Amino acid sequence: MTFGRLIVIWLPVAALFCLAPPVGYRWDLTPEQQPPLPFHPNRWECGWRLAEAGVLTLLASLWFDSLGSGGWGLLFVLVGLLVAFPRRLVMWRHVDALRRRHLMMHALADLARYVVAGALLSSLSQ
């Protein structure tokens, strides 16, 4: 895959990763402390999310160019599980029940973000 095509494929995934995670991302605040808007743009966070989208695009390029398009859903579910759950499962033991639900919802949102990104990459790489 050419560099120009990688950039074109990376752009929608980068937009998804930069816009999706900040929605409801503040799990550490109580409901009374939550800001009125659910979207909190953060340049540092968006910068890391852009890099994350780049790595995922390169992984997808490797997958789709060498192994074909079959099984992409399972690949992105597994990668999403690796990204979403380990950090939150460590925190799971140390928080109350309400925050556990928040952690689970955020982990599932991260997992969904990876599956949606996989669908985008699958459709754009063909």
Side-chain angles (χ1 to χ4, degrees):
M1 189 175 292
T2 65
F3 182 70
R5 186 164 162 86
L6 278 174
I7 296 295
V8 169
I9 291 172
W10 170 76
L11 286 173
V13 176
L16 171 71
F17 275 30
C18 203
L19 294 176
V23 176
Y25 195 68
R26 295 299 305 266
W27 67 271
D28 57 336
L29 298 178
T30 63
E32 298 82 32
Q33 294 173 325
Q34 292 285 340
L37 295 176
F39 182 71
H40 323 289
N42 181 336
R43 287 185 355 185
W44 177 259
E45 182 79 21
C46 280
W48 280 111
R49 296 297 177 161
L50 293 176
E52 182 183 13
V55 170
L56 191 66
T57 301
L58 291 174
L59 175 69
S61 172
L62 179 65
W63 180 266
F64 294 130
D65 288 346
S66 64
L67 299 174
S69 61
W72 67 265
L74 179 60
L75 172 74
F76 287 96
V77 165
L78 292 174
V79 171
L81 286 172
L82 284 172
V83 169
F85 280 93
R87 176 178 56 141
R88 289 181 179 98
L89 288 178
V90 169
M91 292 184 269
W92 182 275
R93 299 182 311 172
H94 306 290
V95 296
D96 58 28
L98 177 63
R99 291 204 177 138
R100 285 182 184 167
R101 280 192 300 254
H102 288 255
L103 285 171
M104 183 58 70
M105 293 306 296
H106 290 158
L108 292 174
D110 269 351
L111 180 61
R113 182 172 56 97
Y114 267 82
V115 173
V116 169
L120 275 171
L121 290 165
S122 175
S123 67
L124 293 173
S125 66
Q126 296 175 358

